[in-house]
Amino acid sequence: MKTNIKLAAIITYLSVFLGVIISLGSTPYIVSTLGKSEYGLYSLVNSIIAYIVLLDLGFGSAVIRFNSKFISENDTNGQRNINGMFLVLFSGIGLLALLASLILVFNFNSIFSSLNESELSILKTIFIIAAVNVAISFPMNIYSSIITAYERFVYLKIINLLRVVISPAMMVLVLFMGLRSVGMVSVALGLNIAIGLANYFVCRYKMKLIVKFSTFDTKLFKEVFSYSSYILLSSIAFQLYTNADPLIIGMFLGATPIAIYAISTQLNTYIMNFSNVLSSFYLPKLTKMIVKGADQARLMVELVKIGRIQALIVGYIVSGFVLFGQVFILIWLGEGYRYAYTIALIIIIPQITSIVQSLFATMLEAMNRHKVKALIYFSIAILKIILTLVFIRVWGITGCAIATAAGMIVNVILNNIYYKYKLKFDIFYFWKEIIKVFIPVVLLGGVCGYLLTFVSISSYLQLGLYVILYSVLYAATMWTFSMNADEKQIVTGPMRKVALRSQA
């Protein structure tokens, strides 16, 4: 297993692409088999479980950071001690998560009074299975975090690729067998156990990693907890921001509107997954750079480089969705889900700025200076919840989307003020470089949007042909007007290597 970010990134993009294609293909079957009501309940369970996951208390990122730190310092004994401590902590958290889930189940009747008896019965059953999955995941996830700290990205991404292919295939199979949502959450449980065991065996027998159970290091725990507490706060804010809407919709509007909103957030997740691939690799690297004394100028080089690449990617995906998203949803799921396009646009467009700056959040974690960002994010999440509770009474699910968008805009503004005036990063230079990417995107999107008003698309074949044509136009436009020499080298370099090998 070698550290190879480029290969890992390619595998990740392949995983995301396959995941989107498979999900797009399987979702209509899942929705039609379960029906809007049960699909809404399945989405609701996923939203609730996301809050139970918060019990990891931010220690997941801490495992990566502190292992990276000890690896950089060649401190094998410190690494063994801290991993032993993490394993004990995560095992206890798993038991706590299971207990909290059981308490929650007993209160579902009063929490979700808008659901009928049949819906509540289904909700309780699938939630209990999902809760067991989460409880088991806590101690198992430490091994994937350790592998990440060693930057063994290729292995991790191959495992994820297998999950992407196997999981939906098995879910469709259990639906075909008549097991419905219970079968779907059971598949997730089984796969999670298998992958957790695989990661354990890689750490133990391939990497020869020894976890040392010794006396509890109180000083080290305080340092870890100080770091993790603000990761936890950010995680709470993230879950409030992304998963509160289905809960609020379930309480005020019922199960069916959740399904429409879930499709919008599912489309948003696709875009996020494609756009944030690169930043997911950089916590170990940035931690090691900072431990070795990298200054702000060196860090800014990385921030601008990755930010521009993410801008190129998200510019393509979002502009493509703006142009073709509505017709795709109509072909994909039918007229009943038309409004999901509007909801998705409201959520997705303001998020572009956060995506291109996602590496800033990773950098702050590496610097152990993520306190202010966490406080800002949490405050904005609370504001967003308040706005949602007000807006949903006026505009329904549209109000939820508007509240989400408003919070994103305020969050980006406050964070950039912090980066500029507290951390002294040249934010104006960063955005000048990003805008250079986006100006041609906006102009191309406007011209193509005008031309598309003269055509009618009614099938996947027609849609695919227009998407291919737009992709070619986008690539040519970016190559000519947006990409710098280094970015072009990223594209042409591997092609030249392949050409030279073929001539040898």
Side-chain angles (χ1 to χ4, degrees), residues 356-411:
V356 298
Q357 278 196 307
S358 59
L359 193 60
F360 277 79
T362 306
M363 175 201 66
L364 292 178
E365 290 181 24
M367 296 172 69
N368 199 11
R369 298 193 67 174
H370 49 290
K371 174 181 177 179
V372 172
K373 183 175 178 64
L375 292 171
I376 291 172
Y377 197 13
F378 183 77
S379 301
I380 296 300
I382 297 299
L383 173 63
K384 184 256 183 182
I385 296 293
I386 295 171
L387 291 176
T388 301
L389 290 170
V390 174
F391 292 171
I392 194 173
R393 298 175 184 272
V394 182
W395 296 302
I397 58 174
T398 306
C400 296
I402 293 172
T404 300
M408 288 178 190
I409 293 169
V410 176
N411 185 57

Side-chain angles (χ1 to χ4, degrees), residues 493-504:
M495 296 171 62
R496 288 174 182 169
K497 289 181 181 179
V498 172
L500 289 172
R501 288 174 184 173
S502 64
Q503 294 172 5

Side-chain angles (χ1 to χ4, degrees), residues 11 14-15 18 156-165:
I11 297 171
L14 177 61
S15 297
L18 285 176
L156 289 172
K157 300 311 174 183
I158 289 174
I159 290 293
N160 188 60
L161 178 60
L162 292 174
R163 184 203 290 266
V164 164
V165 175

Side-chain angles (χ1 to χ4, degrees), residues 269-412:
T269 300
Y270 294 154
I271 291 173
M272 288 288 291
N273 288 345
F274 267 115
S275 303
N276 286 329
V277 166
L278 294 178
S279 60
S280 65
F281 295 111
Y282 273 79
L283 179 56
K285 179 178 179 178
L286 290 174
T287 299
K288 291 167 188 175
M289 287 176 63
I290 290 164
V291 168
K292 293 177 181 178
D295 59 16
Q296 288 178 316
R298 180 71 185 89
L299 292 172
M300 181 55 86
V301 170
E302 293 293 329
L303 294 170
V304 171
K305 180 177 71 174
I306 302 304
R308 280 181 56 88
I309 294 172
Q310 288 180 298
L312 289 165
I313 296 167
V314 75
Y316 168 67
I317 297 170
V318 173
S319 63
F321 181 76
V322 171
L323 294 171
F324 305 106
Q326 186 171 57
V327 68
F328 167 74
I329 291 172
L330 293 176
I331 298 172
W332 181 38
L333 295 174
E335 185 67 33
Y337 287 87
R338 175 186 285 272
Y339 200 61
Y341 172 73
T342 302
I343 299 297
L345 281 184
I346 296 172
I347 295 171
I348 290 167
I349 291 177
Q351 197 163 241
I352 294 173
T353 51
S354 296
I355 291 172
V356 298
Q357 278 196 307
S358 59
L359 193 60
F360 277 79
T362 306
M363 175 201 66
L364 292 178
E365 290 181 24
M367 296 172 69
N368 199 11
R369 298 193 67 174
H370 49 290
K371 174 181 177 179
V372 172
K373 183 175 178 64
L375 292 171
I376 291 172
Y377 197 13
F378 183 77
S379 301
I380 296 300
I382 297 299
L383 173 63
K384 184 256 183 182
I385 296 293
I386 295 171
L387 291 176
T388 301
L389 290 170
V390 174
F391 292 171
I392 194 173
R393 298 175 184 272
V394 182
W395 296 302
I397 58 174
T398 306
C400 296
I402 293 172
T404 300
M408 288 178 190
I409 293 169
V410 176
N411 185 57
V412 167

Side-chain angles (χ1 to χ4, degrees), residues 35 64 102 175 200 219 295 322 347 436 454 495:
I64 299 173
L102 292 174
L175 286 176
Y200 166 76
K219 182 180 178 181
D295 59 16
V322 171
I347 295 171
K436 289 178 183 177
F454 297 99
M495 296 171 62

Side-chain angles (χ1 to χ4, degrees), residues 132-133 136-137 140 187-199:
V132 172
N133 189 7
I136 292 172
S137 294
M140 285 186 167
V187 164
L189 171 61
L191 280 176
N192 210 34
I193 293 173
I195 291 172
L197 290 173
N199 290 336

Side-chain angles (χ1 to χ4, degrees), residues 202-232:
V202 166
C203 285
R204 181 67 182 87
Y205 298 105
K206 180 69 175 180
M207 297 169 57
K208 308 298 182 184
L209 181 70
I210 298 174
V211 175
K212 185 178 180 181
F213 295 94
S214 59
T215 56
F216 198 83
D217 191 330
T218 305
K219 182 180 178 181
L220 182 59
F221 176 75
K222 287 181 179 179
E223 184 181 355
V224 170
F225 188 79
S226 175
Y227 171 82
S228 300
S229 58
Y230 293 105
I231 299 291
L232 170 63

